[in-house]
C-alpha cells in the first residue's frame, strides 16, 4: 500500500535553518506529470534570496561550527541524518514518484539505496588520512585536506534525491557549507531533507535551499563571487555556461552532463539476458537518464532475433499511474519533454529509420505526458537520432560486423558518460571496455552504482566525478605543512661565503 502524504499549499525557501519568504513575492506551480494537475506552489527565488543563502553558508563556514568540527562528531551527525532519512523513506518515495512521474516501484528501489551514501562518507572521514611527502633535509612535511568553503549544488529533475545526495553528502563530509538550487519540477524533497538535516544536528547555514528557475536563481548562484565550487548535473550547453561562470570567479567546477550511451551486444552474449538488459537500459525512468541505452550496437548474426525479442519485451511494459505498484513505466516530466520526444521520432522517420514499435502517445492514457517505449532499426551512426540526446523512451538499433567496428561506432559521438558491453568472453569484455571513451563501463549489466564507485564522464558528458574518494578529494584542497627540525642555527644574511640551502 502506497503511503499518501499531505502536502503544504505553499513552500518557501530554506535559509539559515529557517523557512524564509521569497523576496520576489513570486511562486511557481509544481504539477503531477501523470495527470497534469497542480501539486503545490513553491517560492521563486531571485538574486536577493541567493545572496542571503550564500551569506548564510559563508557565515556558517567561517564560524567553524561545521568546517572545524572534529571528524568523529561530523560523522555522527551525517549518520543520524542518514538514519532519519531511512526511517522516513516512504514519504520521500511517494513524493519523488508524484513529482517525477516515475513508477513508485522504481523510486522505492532507488531511494532505499540513499542511506548508504551517509554510511560511506561518515566512515570515510573517520579513516581518511593525510600524507607525509619525502621532503629532503631536516624537515617534516605533512599534508591535510581542508574544505573549500561554500558549494553551489544545482540538481535536475530526473533523479532528484539520488543526484542531490551524491553531491551533498560528500560536500558536507568534507566540512563545506552548501546552497542547493533544485529543479523547479522537483523541489519538495530537497526542502524536506534540509529540514531533517537541521533537526538531526547539522548547524544552521550549512545546508540552504533556494528554489526557482535556472536562468535567474541558478545563474545568480553560479555567478556569485563567494562560491568556491559549483557542482551541476544538467544539459551539456548549460554545463558549458556554468563552467565559464566558475572560471570568472576561479571557482572549482564539476559537471555531470548529457549522454548518448552505446551498449555493445556481441554474438556470444546470453540473448535473453541481453534483451532484458537492453530494455532496462533503454526504458528505465522513461528514458530520462544520462546513461540511457540510446544506442544498441548489435552484432549482425543476432541482430534480427535481438530486434524481435526487444519489441516483444517493449510490448509487455505496463504504462500507468506511477503510484500503482503494478505500473512499470510512467510519463515524461512535462509537455515540453513529450513534444521533444515526438519531434525526434519524426526526425528519425524523416532520416529513413524504420519504426519497429511505439512512436505514439498511448491511447489508454488520455491525461499526462505518457509516450510508448519506442524502438528504431535501420539507423546509421550519422543520423541525428543516433547522435543527439532525446531524453525520452526512444532507442535505436545499429548493426556491426567486427569488434573493431563496434568500438569505432561506440566512440563516434560527442558524449562519453557511460557504455555497456554484453559478452561471455572475459578477455573481450575487458579489452573492449579498455578502448571505450567514457567514464563508466558496465559489463553484462547497466546503470549500476555505489557510493564508493566514481561516476562521471569525458568529452561533452562533463568534468569531475561523483562518489568515492575522488569526489571527496574534489570537495577539499590540500594544505602542505613543512616543519624545520634542524638543530643548527640559520641566518641567510650572515657574513659568510658558504652556499646555503635555499629550497
Amino acid at each position: 500500500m502506497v503511503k499518501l502524504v499531505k502536502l503544504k499549499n505553499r513552500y518557501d525557501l530554506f535559509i539559515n535553518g529557517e523557512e524564509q519568504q521569497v523576496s520576489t513575492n513570486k511562486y511557481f506551480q509544481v504539477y503531477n506529470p501523470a495527470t497534469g494537475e497542480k501539486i503545490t506552489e513553491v517560492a521563486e527565488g531571485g538574486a536577493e534570496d541567493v545572496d542571503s543563502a550564500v551569506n548564510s553558508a559563508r557565515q556558517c563556514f567561517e564560524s567553524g561550527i561545521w568546517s572545524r568540527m572534529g571528524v568523529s562528531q561530523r560523522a555522527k551527525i551525517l549518520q543520524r541524518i542518514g538514519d532519519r532519512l531511512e526511517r522516513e523513506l516512504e514519504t520521500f518515495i511517494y513524493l519523488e514518484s508524484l513529482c517525477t512521474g516515475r513508477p513508485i516501484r522504481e523510486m522505492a528501489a532507488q531511494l532505499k539505496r540513499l542511506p548508504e551514501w551517509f554510511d560511506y562518507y561518515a566512515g570515510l572521514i573517520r579513516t581518511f588520512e593525510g600524507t607525509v611527502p619525502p621532503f629532503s633535509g631536516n624537515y617534516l612535511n605533512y599534508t591535510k585536506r581542508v574544505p573549500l568553503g561554500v558549494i553551489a549544488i544545482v540538481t535536475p529533475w530526473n533523479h532528484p534525491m539520488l543526484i542531490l545526495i551524491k553531491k551533498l553528502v560528500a560536500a558536507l563530509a568534507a566540512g563545506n557549507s552548501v546552497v542547493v538550487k533544485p529543479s523547479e519540477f522537483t523541489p519538495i524533497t530537497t526542502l524536506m531533507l534540509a529540514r531533517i538535516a537541521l533537526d538531526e544536528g547539522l548547524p544552521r547555514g550549512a545546508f540552504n535551499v533556494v528554489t526557482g528557475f535556472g536562468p535567474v536563481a541558478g545563474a545568480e548562484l553560479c555567478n556569485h563571487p563567494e562560491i568556491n565550487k559549483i557542482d551541476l548535473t544538467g544539459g551539456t550547453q548549460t554545463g558549458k555556461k556554468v563552467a565559464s561562470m566558475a572560471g570568472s570567479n576561479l571557482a572549482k567546477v564539476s559537471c555531470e552532463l548529457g549522454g548518448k550511451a552505446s551498449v555493445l551486444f556481441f554474438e556470444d552474449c546470453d540473448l535473453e539476458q541481453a534483451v532484458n538488459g537492453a530494455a532496462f537500459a533503454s526504458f528505465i525512468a522513461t528514458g530520462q537518464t544520462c546513461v540511457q541505452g540510446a544506442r544498441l550496437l548489435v552484432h549482425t548474426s543476432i541482430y534480427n532475433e535481438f530486434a524481435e525479442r526487444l519489441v516483444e519485451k517493449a510490448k509487455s511494459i505496463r504504462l500507468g499511474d506511477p503510484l500503482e505498484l503494478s505500473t512499470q513505466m510512467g510519463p515524461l516530466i512535462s509537455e515540453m519533454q513529450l513534444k521533444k520526444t515526438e519531434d525526434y521520432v519524426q526526425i528519425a522517420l524523416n532520416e529513413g529509420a524504420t519504426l519497429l514499435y511505439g512512436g505514439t502517445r498511448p491511447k489508454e492514457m488520455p491525461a499526462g505526458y505518457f509516450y510508448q517505449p519506442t524502438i528504431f532499426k535501420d539507423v546509421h551512426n550519422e543520423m541525428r537520432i543516433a547522435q543527439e540526446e532525446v531524453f525520452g523512451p526512444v532507442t535505436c538499433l545499429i548493426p556491426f560486423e567486427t569488434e573493431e567496428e563496434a568500438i569505432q561506432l561506440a566512440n563516434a559521438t560527442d558524449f562519453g558518460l557511460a557504455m555497456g558491453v554484453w559478452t561471455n568472453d572475459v578477455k573481450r569484455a575487458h579489452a573492449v571496455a579498455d578502448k571505450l571513451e567514457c567514464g563508466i563501463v558496465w559489463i553484462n549489466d547497466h546503470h549500476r552504482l555505489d557510493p564508493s564507485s566514481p561516476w562521471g564522464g569525458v568529452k561533452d558528458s562533463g568534468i569531475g566525478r561523483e562518489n568515492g574518494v575522488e569526489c571527496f578529494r574534489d570537495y577539499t584542497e590540500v594544505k602542505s605543512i613543512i616543519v624545520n627540525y634542524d638543530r643548527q642555527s640559520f641566518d641567510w644574511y650572515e657574513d659568510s661565503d658558504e652556499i646555503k640551502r635555499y629550497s
Side-chain angles (χ1 to χ4, degrees):
M1 180 69 182
V2 175
K3 179 181 179 180
L4 301 180
V5 177
K6 183 173 176 57
L7 292 167
K8 297 193 295 185
N9 293 327
R10 174 175 285 184
Y11 287 82
D12 289 304
L13 311 175
F14 193 85
I15 297 175
N16 199 34
E18 297 177 350
E19 293 182 15
Q20 180 172 302
Q21 290 191 341
V22 64
S23 66
T24 62
N25 292 319
K26 295 180 181 178
Y27 291 81
F28 61 89
Q29 315 298 312
V30 176
Y31 294 96
N32 180 346
T35 63
E37 297 173 348
K38 174 185 171 182
I39 295 173
T40 186
E41 61 181 26
V42 179
E44 184 180 334
E48 184 178 328
D49 305 302
V50 168
D51 195 53
S52 175
V54 173
N55 288 338
S56 169
R58 175 61 61 189
Q59 290 170 12
C60 175
F61 180 77
E62 293 185 352
S63 74
I65 190 172
W66 181 250
S67 58
R68 293 185 176 276
M69 180 183 289
V71 292
S72 179
Q73 184 60 27
R74 198 188 302 158
K76 289 178 181 178
I77 292 173
L78 290 176
Q79 196 76 65
R80 287 206 300 268
I81 298 170
D83 291 345
R84 172 78 176 276
L85 173 62
E86 189 165 27
R87 293 196 300 272
E88 299 192 15
L89 270 179
E90 286 189 16
T91 297
F92 282 89
I93 290 166
Y94 169 79
L95 291 175
E96 291 272 280
S97 183
L98 182 71
C99 294
T100 66
R102 290 185 60 181
I104 201 155
R105 57 191 286 161
E106 278 187 23
M107 298 316 304
Q110 185 177 96
L111 267 62
K112 285 178 180 178
R113 296 288 311 278
L114 298 187
E116 295 177 32
W117 270 259
F118 292 90
D119 294 341
Y120 175 81
Y121 282 106
L124 178 66
I125 60 175
R126 283 189 175 102
T127 58
F128 193 85
E129 298 176 350
T131 64
V132 183
F135 203 100
S136 61
N138 294 324
Y139 293 88
L140 170 66
N141 181 197
Y142 64 93
T143 68
K144 60 188 297 187
R145 289 278 172 176
V146 297
L148 296 173
V150 178
I151 311 298
I153 296 177
V154 183
T155 58
W157 44 260
N158 56 333
H159 308 288
M161 282 288 286
L162 173 64
I163 291 175
L164 169 65
I165 282 179
K166 286 199 291 182
K167 304 175 189 296
L168 172 74
V169 184
L172 291 177
N176 299 289
S177 298
V178 304
V179 180
V180 180
K181 207 297 284 183
S183 167
E184 64 272 18
F185 291 106
T186 55
I188 300 171
T189 49
T190 300
L191 291 163
M192 289 177 54
L193 183 63
R195 169 58 68 182
I196 283 176
L198 179 75
D199 291 346
E200 297 304 321
L202 192 69
R204 292 176 180 271
F207 182 1
N208 307 274
V209 183
V210 178
T211 50
F213 295 92
V216 180
E220 290 289 342
L221 179 59
C222 294
N223 265 319
H224 201 288
E226 287 293 319
I227 294 296
N228 299 103
K229 178 181 176 179
I230 305 168
D231 197 338
L232 162 83
T233 294
T236 297
Q237 293 307 312
T238 300
K240 291 179 178 180
K241 291 177 183 178
V242 165
S244 177
M245 294 175 187
S248 67
N249 290 319
L250 294 180
K252 277 190 170 188
V253 62
S254 291
C255 293
E256 201 260 65
L257 306 175
K260 193 74 175 177
S262 299
V263 189
L264 288 61
F265 297 91
F266 289 93
E267 66 275 16
D268 65 335
C269 67
D270 181 321
L271 195 55
E272 181 178 0
Q273 284 301 301
V275 169
N276 289 341
F280 175 72
S282 301
F283 304 127
I284 192 76
T286 318
Q288 298 170 118
T289 171
C290 300
V291 298
Q292 182 211 12
R295 296 159 44 85
L296 307 180
L297 311 185
V298 185
H299 192 270
T300 53
S301 65
I302 61 171
Y303 184 84
N304 290 332
E305 185 177 359
F306 186 100
E308 291 172 4
R309 290 195 184 198
L310 184 61
V311 167
E312 290 306 309
K313 177 61 68 173
K315 288 179 179 178
S316 73
I317 296 174
R318 293 190 298 272
L319 279 68
D321 181 354
L323 298 179
E324 293 289 338
L325 290 173
S326 60
T327 296
Q328 295 177 323
M329 195 169 110
L332 292 152
I333 189 67
S334 66
E335 180 72 35
M336 181 177 69
Q337 201 63 35
L338 176 58
K339 181 64 167 60
K340 180 183 176 184
T341 301
E342 290 179 319
D343 288 346
Y344 268 103
V345 167
Q346 188 59 52
I347 288 168
L349 293 170
N350 294 344
E351 290 178 321
T354 300
L355 180 65
L356 287 179
Y357 182 72
T360 62
R361 303 185 188 192
K363 294 179 181 179
E364 68 272 19
M365 305 298 297
Y369 312 123
F370 289 88
Y371 201 79
Q372 289 182 322
T374 299
I375 304 166
F376 282 100
K377 73 169 185 175
D378 299 326
V379 175
H380 304 293
N381 204 48
E382 298 74 24
M383 290 179 175
R384 289 180 65 187
I385 194 66
Q387 291 291 328
E388 300 175 13
E389 188 174 38
V390 178
F391 229 62
V394 179
T395 193
C396 54
L397 297 171
I398 303 174
F400 69 86
E401 289 278 359
T402 66
E403 183 178 306
E404 291 71 24
E405 182 188 8
I407 294 167
Q408 186 275 326
L409 286 169
N411 290 336
T413 78
D414 292 332
F415 297 104
L417 180 54
M419 298 190 198
V421 178
W422 289 76
T423 177
N424 284 324
D425 184 334
V426 66
K427 289 184 178 180
R428 169 186 277 167
H430 290 287
V432 171
D434 188 57
K435 294 176 183 177
L436 296 179
E437 297 170 358
C438 58
I440 308 161
V441 180
W442 292 287
I443 296 174
N444 296 327
D445 214 327
H446 203 86
H447 207 161
R448 304 300 180 180
L449 74 165
D450 191 88
S452 66
S453 179
W455 179 285
V458 299
K459 299 195 284 189
D460 279 1
S461 288
I463 52 177
R465 293 293 182 268
E466 297 172 333
N467 299 341
V469 178
E470 293 286 337
C471 181
F472 177 77
R473 285 198 183 104
D474 207 40
Y475 275 115
T476 68
E477 54 192 0
V478 65
K479 179 179 287 187
S480 183
I481 301 164
I482 303 160
V483 181
N484 176 7
Y485 62 85
D486 196 328
R487 295 189 178 216
Q488 295 184 12
S489 62
F490 174 80
D491 181 358
W492 181 264
Y493 297 104
E494 70 177 344
D495 188 11
S496 170
D497 293 333
E498 180 186 356
I499 302 298
K500 299 180 182 294
R501 177 189 171 99
Y502 177 67
S503 60

